[in-house]
Amino acid sequence: MARPVSLLYRLYERRLLRELDKSVPVPRHVGVITDGNRRWAKEFGATTADGHRAGAEKIVEFLGWCDEIDVDIVTLYVLSKENLARSAEEVEVLIEIISDLVEKIASLKGVRVQLVGDLEILPPGLRARLEAATSAGDCQMRVNVAVGYGGRQEIVNAVKSLLRLRTDEGTDLETIISELSPQQISEHLYTKGQPDPDLIIRSSGEQRLSGFLMWQSAYSEFYFCEAYWPDFRRTDFLRAVRDYGLRQRRFGK
């Protein structure tokens, strides 16, 4: 179980919320790399499965925090393409936990779920359950769940999709090359039609993207937190949002 929140932290959270209420801008799109479940389990003498389950519970809690401050889009990195190469036993547990998680997220009021990743490489059972949980229509918050995801593969797939579309239209290769633009590629990414993430958070002390939203994160702000994901607190989230709001975003200018 995650560590309890002390009275001191509750008071600090109230202070952070007051600061956000005043003038600090809130990110519209937040990406999060939910890292550290296995290390958290090892530290507490729990099983790897226990760590992943604790991480899944934290995700549901995290979405509540995002809704509280009116974040529009959340992208969760829960299963990379490389994760599927782990032991068969761990992958089996992950599949069950992620399936349950996505179904739970889809049941939340005002939430729309979209899968982000290469669904073709997922085990058939996982893919079927995930696709059944996706939703459409109006929503208060869109939640992208990155499963079977790889940033490089996303860009490769986007270029393939673009080339296929243009050639099907009868456009010759030289014209395709001369007209190729970043905007065209963006329109074929898994997150097409969505704004790029304003803020990307990674837990567990690691300071790298691990291929997460490589194209979309060109001008994102990053926040790295030492806590393992199951121990990630509302306080940590509010600090990240406040830190984001106090930065000057120049977008390369």
Side-chain angles (χ1 to χ4, degrees), residues 10-253:
R10 289 194 182 95
L11 293 173
Y12 183 47
E13 287 173 358
R14 291 177 187 173
R15 174 185 164 190
L16 290 171
L17 279 171
R18 285 196 299 270
E19 291 179 13
L20 295 181
D21 285 342
K22 290 180 180 178
S23 59
V24 176
V26 171
R28 181 183 178 191
H29 182 175
V30 175
V32 58
I33 303 172
T34 60
D35 192 27
N37 293 338
R38 294 197 295 177
R39 280 170 285 167
W40 177 89
K42 184 176 181 180
E43 182 176 306
F44 282 90
T47 66
T48 298
D50 290 334
H52 291 312
R53 289 191 184 95
E57 292 173 4
K58 182 61 63 174
I59 284 174
V60 176
E61 193 176 359
F62 177 82
L63 293 176
W65 303 336
C66 290
D67 182 59
E68 183 180 21
I69 63 169
D70 297 324
V71 172
D72 294 330
I73 304 170
V74 179
T75 300
L76 303 164
Y77 199 8
V78 297
L79 183 71
S80 71
K81 185 179 179 181
E82 291 75 19
N83 291 158
L84 291 170
R86 292 178 179 177
S87 69
E89 181 181 2
E90 183 174 354
V91 170
E92 183 178 355
V93 170
L94 271 171
I95 287 171
E96 186 66 26
I97 292 172
I98 291 171
S99 298
D100 291 343
L101 171 65
V102 172
E103 289 171 356
K104 189 166 187 176
I105 293 172
S107 71
L108 297 175
K109 184 178 180 181
V111 170
R112 176 181 175 183
V113 175
Q114 178 173 324
L115 302 179
V116 176
D118 188 352
L119 303 184
E120 298 293 336
I121 68 172
L122 298 179
L126 173 60
R127 180 177 177 179
R129 285 187 66 181
L130 295 182
E131 289 181 330
T134 58
S135 51
D138 295 334
C139 62
Q140 295 174 336
M141 181 167 63
R142 180 196 297 265
V143 178
N144 299 316
V145 182
V147 287
Y149 179 86
R152 290 178 175 175
Q153 191 62 49
E154 178 182 21
I155 296 170
V156 169
N157 289 349
V159 172
K160 286 181 177 179
S161 175
L162 172 61
L163 291 174
R164 190 175 295 113
L165 174 67
R166 297 302 306 276
T167 53
D168 287 348
E169 293 173 342
T171 309
D172 65 88
L173 181 59
E174 287 303 318
T175 301
I176 295 173
I177 293 172
S178 65
E179 294 179 353
L180 185 63
S181 68
Q183 180 59 37
Q184 286 181 326
I185 294 176
S186 293
E187 291 170 355
H188 291 264
L189 296 173
Y190 301 142
T191 57
K192 57 183 177 292
Q194 300 180 27
D196 291 337
D198 302 298
L199 171 66
I200 293 179
I201 300 170
R202 180 168 187 156
S203 57
S204 86
E206 303 291 347
Q207 297 190 22
R208 60 180 184 273
L209 282 179
S210 298
F212 182 54
L213 301 179
M214 293 172 62
W215 181 280
Q216 299 91 327
S217 64
Y219 295 108
S220 300
E221 298 294 325
F222 302 100
Y223 187 88
F224 301 103
C225 178
E226 292 295 323
Y228 296 138
W229 179 247
D231 273 341
F232 190 81
R233 304 161 301 185
R234 182 168 175 256
T235 302
D236 298 314
F237 173 63
L238 294 176
R239 280 176 176 165
V241 173
R242 182 187 63 177
D243 186 77
Y244 162 83
L246 294 175
R247 297 183 189 180
Q248 269 193 322
R249 302 190 72 195
R250 299 184 178 87
F251 298 96
K253 296 178 182 177

